Amino acid sequence: MGCAGGGAKDRIDAHIPISYPDIARVFALYEPLAMRSADYKFELVLAEEFSPNRTVDLWTVRLKPGIEFHNGKTLTADDAIFSIRRIINPKNPGAGAAGLSDIDPQGLRKLDERTFEIRLKSPFATFDTELGGYANGIVPVGYDPKKPVGTGPFRFGSFTPGERSIFPAHKNYWRHGLPHVDELVIIDFPDDTARINALLGGQVHAIDNVPFAQGRVMGVTPGVKPLVAKTGAWLPFTMRVDQAPFDDVRVRQAMRLVVDRPQMVLQALAGEGSIANDLYSPFDPCYAADLPQRHQDYAQAKSLLKAAGREGLEVELVTADVAAGLVEAAQVFAEQARGAGIRVKIRKVDSGVFYGSDYLKWTFAQDFWFTRDYLAQVSTCAMPGSPYNETHWSDPKFQALIGEARRTLDHNKRCAILHDAQKMEYDTGGYIIWGFRNQIDAYSAKTTGWVPAKTGTPLGNYGFAPVHFV
């Protein structure tokens, strides 16, 4: 397959994926205890059962029997405990560490070969969903990312950062009969045109992140089929709330008001998506759908900027071709912002620079996110200890609300608390969330088994295992 982005800083570590090629490798090699399926249902993967106590501060996990790692070792509770400790290691935390921050490191206890306990520092009513997630893969005790071993449908063959990964099939994969193909090759294609040409020319059998303007073309091209999924995935603009000019909430509010959201979806996504309201997690049952839809309002934006002493504001927007629609959104935003007297200078960098040493430090930039539930998303990007807190959002009142929600067992009461948290982000947060994009991928008509994913993860959660030739 041809994968968007990638570069010299590509990773193959189970617990620290960043770019699309990293994520594709994670889905191929590793598996978590549970995760969201392509239709966004929470399903058990390596776990057979999650059992909380009455106060939901102690969770017992039972593993499925007979699951074999690529090296022939049978999965045990020791491996799961090792993996969780590796993810939450404060010296080198994994991408899922923030969601597992309630774990007491001394409270991981093996009960038998397939069963272990996780004691939490405080009650967490939806902790099982935090354990689920592609970045929380279970690896064997002593795992070395230089010689990666997992339980996934493919095993490690070779890995050349910025170029390609070769993964032979895992013949003793626990999902019997899968995978159907003998080998998976993931090739980096930072350039959209090169990636599309690779599919059209037969160099690859599938590609992720087809540019939205090319989506319809894929549908009428002989030998090629599009894979379109309606998702809750989002392409935010990220404003650092701790740096000028975005340390003034009035500036952040003004920036949100310059966006014509329907026009942004139409032009940046070629209509392949739906408008958003500066909030993420639209599939969460506690999503605050009642908050007034934000519309473009140049007069109010100018008034806010004048009050903040920022008339004639000039900002630099850092962007990169790391996700379909990202650069296009930057261009549309810059044009729309002119209506409020804001001059946006676009600085386009390559993916290696974007995800390099300045990643998470850009004052004004963009990013891409897949669909997550609200608490899981907050853990990843909106708390002081979040691994990807790109807006540097840190509000004690917000943190208190999140802590209260985690401890609340009653669903309706928890939703009321989360509504207040979402209202805070809606009013004063550092994200401009203008739309939810469809995920458009494409594959050769010589293959079948691809399924669209509401999660927003390309190629049906990079679902390589069921794919076969026709």
Side-chain angles (χ1 to χ4, degrees), residues 95-103 124 127 130-131 375-376 379-380 387 406:
L100 307 184
S101 61
D102 283 271
I103 294 176
F124 197 163
F127 178 69
E130 295 286 349
L131 281 171
L375 279 174
S379 295
T380 309
R406 288 176 172 178

Side-chain angles (χ1 to χ4, degrees), residues 124-139:
F124 197 163
T126 60
F127 178 69
D128 52 344
T129 63
E130 295 286 349
L131 281 171
Y134 63 80
N136 291 339
I138 302 302
V139 295

Side-chain angles (χ1 to χ4, degrees), residues 215-419:
R216 291 181 176 85
V217 175
M218 294 293 105
V220 296
T221 301
V224 172
K225 294 185 177 182
L227 187 70
V228 181
K230 296 186 181 301
T231 80
W234 44 297
L235 303 171
F237 294 94
T238 61
M239 302 177 287
R240 275 191 62 168
V241 302
D242 62 338
Q243 282 191 357
F246 304 117
D247 54 351
D248 190 318
V249 67
R250 294 168 294 189
V251 175
R252 303 198 296 273
Q253 291 169 341
M255 296 292 279
R256 288 170 159 182
L257 288 170
V258 304
V259 184
D260 181 331
R261 294 157 199 264
Q263 183 186 49
M264 183 73 82
V265 170
L266 182 63
Q267 293 188 334
L269 304 182
E272 292 287 354
S274 57
I275 64 170
N277 199 27
D278 296 319
L279 294 172
Y280 39 75
S281 304
F283 297 155
D284 191 296
C286 298
Y287 180 69
D290 63 317
L291 293 176
Q293 176 61 53
R294 190 163 277 141
H295 300 284
Q296 186 182 68
D297 189 335
Y298 283 147
Q300 180 65 11
K302 290 178 180 178
S303 175
L304 287 165
L305 291 173
K306 183 176 181 180
R310 290 287 183 177
E311 291 177 288
L313 178 66
E314 296 186 8
V315 293
E316 179 182 78
L317 172 60
V318 180
T319 188
D321 271 321
V322 294
L326 212 68
V327 173
E328 293 84 350
Q331 294 166 342
V332 175
F333 180 85
E335 182 62 30
Q336 292 179 348
R338 290 174 59 187
I342 301 171
R343 181 174 179 267
V344 178
K345 179 183 178 183
I346 296 176
R347 177 186 170 196
K348 184 180 177 182
V349 300
D350 65 36
S351 58
V353 172
F354 189 84
Y355 288 121
S357 58
D358 286 323
Y359 179 53
L360 306 179
K361 297 178 183 178
W362 306 116
T363 300
F364 187 38
Q366 293 170 277
D367 211 342
F368 69 89
W369 288 95
F370 301 143
T371 315
R372 285 178 172 85
D373 280 351
Y374 185 74
L375 279 174
Q377 184 64 61
V378 164
S379 295
T380 309
C381 74
M383 299 290 276
S386 296
Y388 304 117
N389 189 348
E390 50 208 340
T391 68
H392 294 241
W393 172 254
S394 179
D395 189 300
K397 183 180 177 182
F398 178 81
Q399 295 160 36
L401 286 170
I402 296 303
E404 184 181 357
R406 288 176 172 178
R407 296 188 295 271
T408 302
L409 299 179
D410 183 271
H411 173 76
N412 291 333
K413 291 181 179 178
R414 185 166 65 249
C415 282
I417 297 166
L418 292 180
H419 187 281

Side-chain angles (χ1 to χ4, degrees), residues 115-199:
T115 314
F116 64 101
E117 288 181 344
I118 305 176
R119 183 167 293 282
L120 306 180
K121 301 171 188 175
S122 59
F124 197 163
T126 60
F127 178 69
D128 52 344
T129 63
E130 295 286 349
L131 281 171
Y134 63 80
N136 291 339
I138 302 302
V139 295
V141 173
Y143 169 80
D144 179 359
K146 294 180 181 178
K147 299 178 181 178
V149 172
T151 65
F154 296 89
R155 59 182 176 82
F156 178 72
S158 65
F159 167 53
T160 305
E163 297 183 20
R164 68 179 59 207
S165 313
I166 301 176
F167 300 149
H170 177 26
K171 297 300 183 182
N172 290 330
Y173 186 47
W174 62 277
R175 296 184 195 264
H176 299 297
L178 298 178
H180 292 304
V181 298
D182 294 322
E183 185 178 74
L184 168 67
V185 180
I186 299 172
I187 305 175
D188 287 13
F189 283 97
D191 180 75
D192 290 338
T193 301
R195 192 166 66 258
I196 291 172
N197 288 340
L199 176 64

